[in-house]
Amino acid sequence: MKTRLAPTYSVVVPAFNEQEVIAETYKRLTKVMTDMAEPYEIIFVNDGSRDNTAQLIAEFCSSDSSVRLINFSRNFGHMAAISAGMEHSRGLAIFVIDADLQDPPELFPKLAEKWREGYHVAYGKRTKRKGESIFKRLSARFFYRFIRSMTSVDLPPDTGEFRLIDRKVCDAINKLPEKSRYIRGLVSWVGFKQVAVEYVREERFAGVTKYPLRKMISFAMDAITSFSHKPLKLATLVGFLISVLSFVYMLYVFYQVFFTDQTITGWASTVAIILFTQGIVLMLLGLMGEYIGRIYTELQNRPLYIVQEIIEKEENEQADDRNNKPTK
Ligand code: UDP
Ligand code: MG
């Protein structure tokens, strides 16, 4: 195996069906990184794209030795892709950025400045989100505030995966064994010196969101269950409240039976109450199932992702050959 000198910066870019933007992303990243005038590497993680994303990135690799492509064997998800990029990174500081250019690479020098000042994490905080539907904006707003109220970790609101992290933080996160990875939560959880850098979130450069509602809900569940047990306590609380209310109601029913001659009517209300409480019970059971499912996934201990291949340009090929030749 050849060894390369560790670059100053690594850029981790997860990409899933991003053929419309990937060339532009590569161009802008390369521009910013060359302007920063330090050795760098760009790691594209192709998360099982079904379009030409992989071929396009492989082309960049063939002409540019700073680019590496990690091809997954199938789609493992955004968080797995970022984890893979972080694990394969060699830089002293690691930038994480989405492939769709919603987060401006031009902010990198500002993030790096904070790093040079001694911060271990400089995360982008969105002050505005352009070109996203009202539903997405509202749900995102609700999501971040809800998660904050549900968890004990200090998760900064309006913060995505766009950030710079120091090697130490990256190593700390790489060592965490959990499989349901809510990375922005883990970054907060590991601590270190962190600082926010504000920016405006742009519209997607091209293509469509890869986070449909279904993925957003499962993402939210991951976030909550990874960092909070509060929902489990909800069951106890709701159960307790219902018991108290029913007990009081029962006393009232006994009173009616023994001390008044009112006839007790209304099976409809009885059915309504039964259905209502059954609904709550099922919901809480499902909630517990979410946690148990996650325990099961952790126990199975399957890898977070499977790498099909890694593509990069052989650097100093000739030099390597020379070194490998037996010396007489
Ligand atoms: N992504 C991925 N795997 C997935 C879904 C998304 O690697 O299963 C990548 C995607 O290519 C993009 C980033 O994760 O670089 C964020 O996705 P997207 O922009 O679609 O999400 P949004 O910004 O709409 O929340
Ligand atoms: Mg996006």
Side-chain angles (χ1 to χ4, degrees):
M1 224 180 91
K2 60 188 178 308
T3 48
R4 290 183 180 192
L5 282 181
T8 311
Y9 299 117
S10 298
V11 185
V12 170
V13 192
F16 174 53
N17 295 345
E18 300 286 7
Q19 63 179 10
E20 293 92 356
V21 302
I22 206 77
E24 181 69 18
T25 310
Y26 170 61
K27 208 170 89 193
R28 267 175 66 184
L29 285 175
T30 308
K31 166 102 184 44
V32 171
M33 295 318 291
T34 38
D35 285 353
M36 286 170 79
E38 299 259 7
Y40 70 91
E41 60 177 2
I42 302 178
I43 304 171
F44 285 102
V45 184
N46 167 34
D47 185 13
S49 299
R50 286 178 280 270
D51 62 1
N52 278 325
T53 306
Q55 289 85 323
L56 290 170
I57 302 172
E59 269 172 39
F60 313 149
C61 294
S62 64
S63 59
D64 184 348
S65 59
S66 327
V67 183
R68 214 160 355 135
L69 166 62
I70 300 175
N71 260 328
F72 278 2
S73 59
R74 64 169 171 83
N75 179 253
F76 281 92
H78 187 195
M79 297 292 126
I82 293 178
S83 304
M86 282 168 56
E87 278 164 25
H88 286 81
S89 70
R90 294 178 282 222
L92 303 176
I94 296 102
F95 295 104
V96 179
I97 186 168
D98 286 350
D100 60 359
L101 295 173
Q102 281 193 287
D103 310 316
E106 290 71 26
L107 203 73
F108 283 179
K110 228 173 168 178
L111 300 177
E113 204 179 289
K114 291 287 172 200
W115 177 60
R116 303 228 175 251
E117 281 172 24
Y119 288 99
H120 299 106
V121 177
Y123 58 87
K125 185 170 160 50
R126 307 156 187 155
T127 49
K128 239 196 218 160
R129 303 168 76 108
K130 282 195 197 161
E132 286 180 308
S133 67
I134 291 193
F135 174 71
K136 176 109 190 175
R137 278 200 307 239
L138 280 181
S139 58
R141 212 187 138 74
F142 170 75
F143 173 68
Y144 289 115
R145 286 169 182 69
F146 180 63
I147 300 231
R148 250 178 101 78
S149 69
M150 288 303 260
T151 61
S152 46
V153 185
D154 185 23
L155 304 171
D158 304 319
T159 302
E161 299 309 333
F162 182 44
R163 65 168 68 81
L164 172 152
I165 56 176
D166 184 80
R167 178 84 260 155
K168 278 187 210 155
V169 178
C170 187
D171 289 343
I173 293 175
N174 290 347
K175 275 197 208 117
L176 298 177
E178 58 223 76
K179 300 290 184 283
S180 63
R181 293 176 92 80
Y182 181 60
I183 295 179
R184 55 197 84 164
L186 298 178
V187 171
S188 301
W189 182 85
V190 294
F192 293 95
K193 268 178 81 178
Q194 313 214 357
V195 64
V197 175
E198 295 194 335
Y199 74 103
V200 175
R201 188 158 221 232
E202 296 294 331
E203 252 175 82
R204 220 173 205 287
F205 180 76
V208 292
T209 176
K210 308 300 175 313
Y211 265 100
L213 186 61
R214 179 179 52 81
K215 272 197 195 168
M216 263 164 46
I217 290 174
S218 109
F219 187 58
M221 280 317 270
D222 269 351
I224 295 167
T225 52
S226 316
F227 287 95
S228 175
H229 294 162
K230 275 190 197 170
L232 289 178
K233 294 182 189 148
L234 202 71
T236 327
L237 186 72
V238 172
F240 179 73
L241 277 179
I242 291 183
S243 315
V244 170
L245 288 178
S246 355
F247 184 72
V248 172
Y249 185 64
M250 200 176 71
L251 291 181
Y252 173 67
V253 170
F254 279 136
Y255 168 79
Q256 276 189 325
V257 170
F258 295 117
F259 300 104
T260 70
D261 49 6
Q262 281 173 359
T263 34
I264 300 167
T265 54
W267 68 271
S269 57
T270 317
V271 170
I273 289 170
I274 290 176
L275 287 182
F276 175 70
T277 47
Q278 284 294 318
I280 291 180
V281 169
L282 281 181
M283 189 193 81
L284 293 174
L285 261 182
L287 195 64
M288 281 175 207
E290 290 283 341
Y291 282 90
I292 295 174
R294 277 167 178 77
I295 297 173
Y296 182 52
T297 312
E298 297 295 333
L299 275 180
Q300 280 178 315
N301 204 18
R302 291 189 186 146
L304 195 57
Y305 56 85
I306 295 172
V307 174
Q308 185 175 309
E309 60 186 338
I310 297 181
I311 299 176
E312 61 190 321
K313 190 178 179 215
E314 294 283 318
E315 202 181 32
N316 302 330
E317 264 175 350
Q318 292 175 336
D320 277 359
D321 283 353
R322 239 179 286 135
N323 292 341
N324 291 340
K325 270 187 194 142
T327 43
K328 281 179 196 151

